[in-house]
Amino acid sequence: MKTKILIIPGLGGSGENHWQSFWSKDDDKFVRLQQQNWDKPELGQWLESLNEVIEDLNCPIILVAHSLGTSLVAHWSEKYDNSNIKGALLVAPADVDSPLHTPEVVRGFAPMPVTKLNFPSIIAASENDPYVSLERAQYFAEKWGGEFINIGSKGHINSDSNLEFWEEGQVMLQRLQTSTNEIRV
């Protein structure tokens, strides 16, 4: 069964110049999560939407989350379990616990879950991300049981970073896909 890549945007929904949008253009292996309101996140509603899509896909899935989407994945992993989730690429986790780093509108996602995820993960962070310190991102990776990758100074790893297809991220995704295939053999 073919693996699907579930794109999970954060606050604002990852616009057309975001690497998540570039990745999901014209490729049916990518499925993009939709939320009722990308600008006023509600944890309960966002969790329901994510879980519904995961249940509906009913195939091997790799999650690709950005910013607030990484917090959503961590909350989902605490509340749900689904053996179809084969891995997650968690990029630029927003520090929802820190009023210094994130806006008040995301406070409903606090506290950030710090329990081990139920699947392999790679956490990618930037040295100059205004929404999370590098040390805090590394802390999340340790707690989630994932591999931490410092990608240098790339801001919030979003549209403003001008990454387009973000080849470095695609390599990370490929590593998750490869390890998923090895597990299934």
Side-chain angles (χ1 to χ4, degrees):
M1 189 177 293
K2 188 175 177 182
T3 300
K4 292 286 187 177
I5 311 299
L6 180 53
I7 299 288
I8 305 168
L11 185 65
S14 297
E16 67 181 56
N17 293 322
H18 196 286
W19 58 267
Q20 285 185 318
S21 298
F22 277 90
W23 285 13
S24 57
K25 285 180 186 172
D26 303 321
D27 191 335
D28 66 350
K29 74 178 175 188
F30 289 92
V31 175
R32 190 179 180 104
L33 178 66
Q34 296 299 320
Q35 297 290 0
Q36 289 178 7
N37 190 333
W38 287 111
D39 299 318
K40 293 184 181 173
E42 294 181 25
L43 179 57
Q45 190 275 319
W46 279 33
L47 277 170
E48 276 184 41
S49 296
L50 176 57
N51 195 56
E52 284 176 17
V53 170
I54 289 170
E55 294 292 325
D56 288 348
L57 285 175
N58 195 28
C59 66
I61 302 166
I62 294 179
L63 308 173
V64 176
H66 178 260
S67 191
L68 189 60
T70 65
S71 178
L72 180 63
V73 169
H75 280 285
W76 182 88
S77 181
E78 275 194 330
K79 186 172 182 173
Y80 300 99
D81 189 23
N82 187 312
S83 61
N84 285 329
I85 305 299
K86 303 303 179 189
L89 176 57
L90 305 173
V91 179
D95 192 351
V96 297
D97 297 332
S98 172
L100 295 174
H101 289 99
T102 53
E104 187 63 30
V105 71
V106 303
R107 217 60 64 227
F109 282 65
M112 178 72 92
V114 287
T115 55
K116 189 173 185 315
L117 300 177
N118 302 322
F119 37 81
S121 61
I122 295 174
I123 295 81
S126 167
E127 294 173 358
N128 62 338
D129 188 335
Y131 299 105
V132 67
S133 70
L134 191 64
E135 295 77 20
R136 186 83 162 138
Q138 189 167 12
Y139 169 78
F140 293 145
E142 289 169 10
K143 292 298 185 180
W144 294 337
E147 177 186 351
F148 178 75
I149 298 178
N150 174 349
I151 66 162
S153 295
K154 298 225 170 66
H156 191 46
I157 317 173
N158 60 2
S159 298
D160 293 340
S161 303
N162 295 315
L163 299 171
E164 295 188 0
F165 285 96
W166 190 35
E167 290 79 6
E168 184 180 14
Q170 290 180 19
V171 169
M172 292 176 217
L173 177 61
Q174 184 60 45
R175 283 182 44 213
L176 279 170
Q177 290 175 298
T178 301
S179 66
T180 297
N181 290 336
E182 289 170 4
I183 291 167
R184 276 191 271 144
V185 173

